[in-house]
Amino acid sequence: MRAAVLHETGQEKLEVHDGVEIPATGPGKVRIRMKAASLCHSDLSAMSGVLPQPAPFVPGHEGAGEIVEVGEGVDNLAVGDRVIVCWMPPCGHCASCKRGEGNLCLAAFGNMGTPSYRHDGQDIFGFSATGTFAEESVVAAGCAVKLPDDVPYEVAALIGCGVTTGVGAAINTAKVTPGSSVVVIGCGGVGIAAIQGAKVAGAAQILAVDPVAGRREWALRFGATEAVHPDQLDEAKNRITAGEGFDYAFEVVGRSATVRTAYDATRRGGSVVVVGAGAMDDNAQFNMFELFFNEKRILPSLYGGTDVPKTYQTVIDLWRAGRLDLEGMITHHVRIEAINDAIEQMRTGEALRTVIDLG
């Protein structure tokens, strides 16, 4: 089969290879024929080394497809099932899962060090033990979440990470309240999903902040009431909130500097929601007095902030009701042989979400 491979961390382009092998579908595993994948900024972060991922590897963690083989001991899935790929599946048994915090389950990390592919005698990993930039993938059965028949594969691919992360941050982690004020810093795919989540939750004012003009235009289309360049944030905060600050600030970039910006844009007693995935050596700084005196809640939000399949279902229900525009987030389509075009589109801000058509 074909797959797109990053051979060394730091390389900017992937190589698409034919003849890539996948392992046998062993116990507790399923083989998925990918129909659609989408590109998330976390893929670029893994390629650059910001997120830890051994190389060589097949990027991609947003995807959807059809099960073509089921391993021994898998009784909840069958050949022909349509599924969303879940890159961090809850095991259902650990302490986090029992508390209803399946998004914090670490069971899947046991598979991270196991190669997912092989080419020319070399083992190749899958990003987050998935690697959806391939025509087929063998994954743990928990990574395959059943997909209703009415949800297109391209929409399901977005739900697999970015949309669930952004919408979940607004409705699960922050619990945005009707009539509140919101600022979203970083308006790529996850930021746009957070804007849509805040709109669904009833926020009255949603300020989008991004240096890319095209992303600011998208933010307005998907529910922001105003969109500004980062240089204009302070003026907008003073005008919209009379200088008090926003009830909720979402940082969707993954940098300490923008976390600090989000903190400063939040009112006393408000919520700073950290959604962006950043580097382990990028440290945010706060002094002890301001943390105590301002009583601002700093809320990290990982993969939607609660049980992942539950958030998938919430997103699907909202999409069915016409409350979320997921098709509109797809601005580009490419075949796998043009995967580097998709990467460049994300780096430049040309694309909001690019879908890789595999089926």
Side-chain angles (χ1 to χ4, degrees):
M1 66 165 194
R2 287 185 300 175
V5 179
L6 184 86
H7 285 278
E8 293 184 11
T9 301
Q11 289 181 332
E12 294 189 352
K13 292 188 176 182
L14 305 179
E15 293 185 33
V16 179
H17 295 294
D18 293 309
V20 175
E21 304 169 26
I22 56 175
T25 308
K29 305 275 189 175
V30 296
R31 181 159 61 96
I32 302 173
R33 180 169 296 139
M34 295 295 171
K35 299 293 186 178
S38 55
L39 182 65
C40 178
H41 199 276
S42 295
D43 298 308
L44 303 190
S45 296
M47 291 171 62
S48 67
V50 169
L51 296 181
Q53 170 62 50
F57 71 96
V58 173
H61 60 290
E62 294 186 343
E66 178 184 346
I67 291 182
V68 293
E69 190 175 358
V70 174
E72 181 183 352
V74 178
D75 55 10
N76 62 325
L77 295 166
V79 171
D81 281 350
R82 305 169 79 248
V83 294
I84 302 175
V85 173
C86 177
W87 60 269
M88 195 170 174
C91 71
H93 308 295
C94 70
S96 293
C97 287
K98 289 178 179 179
R99 286 192 294 264
E101 299 171 345
N103 63 309
L104 301 182
C105 177
L106 296 177
F109 278 76
N111 297 318
M112 297 287 182
T114 302
S116 300
Y117 306 94
R118 192 170 178 82
H119 183 255
D120 281 349
Q122 184 179 37
D123 287 335
I124 298 172
F125 298 94
F127 180 36
S128 293
T130 55
T132 59
F133 295 171
E135 291 177 328
E136 293 187 359
S137 184
V138 171
V139 299
C143 292
V145 177
K146 286 186 180 180
L147 174 67
D149 290 341
D150 63 325
V151 183
Y153 284 118
E154 62 182 28
V155 169
L158 270 64
I159 294 172
C161 182
V163 167
T164 292
T165 296
V167 172
I171 64 177
N172 296 330
T173 304
K175 296 179 173 59
V176 171
T177 56
S180 59
S181 61
V182 168
V183 59
V184 177
I185 300 172
C187 298
V190 179
I192 293 296
I195 288 169
Q196 292 205 63
K199 180 182 177 182
V200 164
Q205 297 162 318
I206 305 174
L207 177 69
V209 182
D210 199 285
V212 179
R215 288 178 176 167
R216 297 197 296 271
E217 293 173 6
W218 285 326
L220 293 170
R221 173 182 169 185
F222 287 99
T225 53
E226 189 174 344
V228 300
H229 188 278
D231 293 343
Q232 301 169 304
L233 173 55
D234 287 342
E235 183 278 329
K237 181 186 83 169
N238 291 333
R239 173 169 42 81
I240 295 171
T241 72
E244 182 184 21
F246 294 87
D247 297 315
Y248 305 91
F250 292 83
E251 194 279 348
V252 202
V253 180
R255 295 178 183 170
S256 60
T258 41
V259 170
R260 182 72 230 192
T261 298
Y263 185 90
D264 292 338
T266 306
R267 67 167 174 83
R268 295 184 69 218
S271 297
V272 183
V273 188
V274 181
V275 188
M280 289 187 286
D281 60 354
D282 186 11
N283 298 313
Q285 293 188 351
F286 305 91
N287 68 61
M288 291 304 297
F289 178 78
E290 67 184 342
L291 286 176
F292 160 77
F293 186 70
N294 291 325
E295 204 176 292
K296 298 180 185 183
R297 296 180 299 160
I298 300 177
L299 304 173
S301 184
L302 175 63
Y303 210 173
T306 189
D307 180 74
V308 181
K310 179 180 177 181
T311 307
Y312 283 178
Q313 188 58 55
T314 298
V315 168
I316 290 170
D317 290 343
L318 290 168
W319 168 78
R320 283 177 176 151
R323 305 283 300 281
L324 296 175
D325 179 6
L326 304 188
E327 291 94 339
M329 292 179 65
I330 302 169
T331 56
H332 296 73
H333 285 261
V334 299
R335 302 294 299 179
I336 193 170
E337 55 266 22
I339 186 68
N340 288 308
D341 293 341
I343 291 171
E344 187 62 22
Q345 289 162 359
M346 174 161 281
R347 285 195 175 116
T348 61
E350 177 186 348
L352 180 53
R353 266 298 188 266
T354 298
V355 166
I356 298 95
D357 296 313
L358 295 161

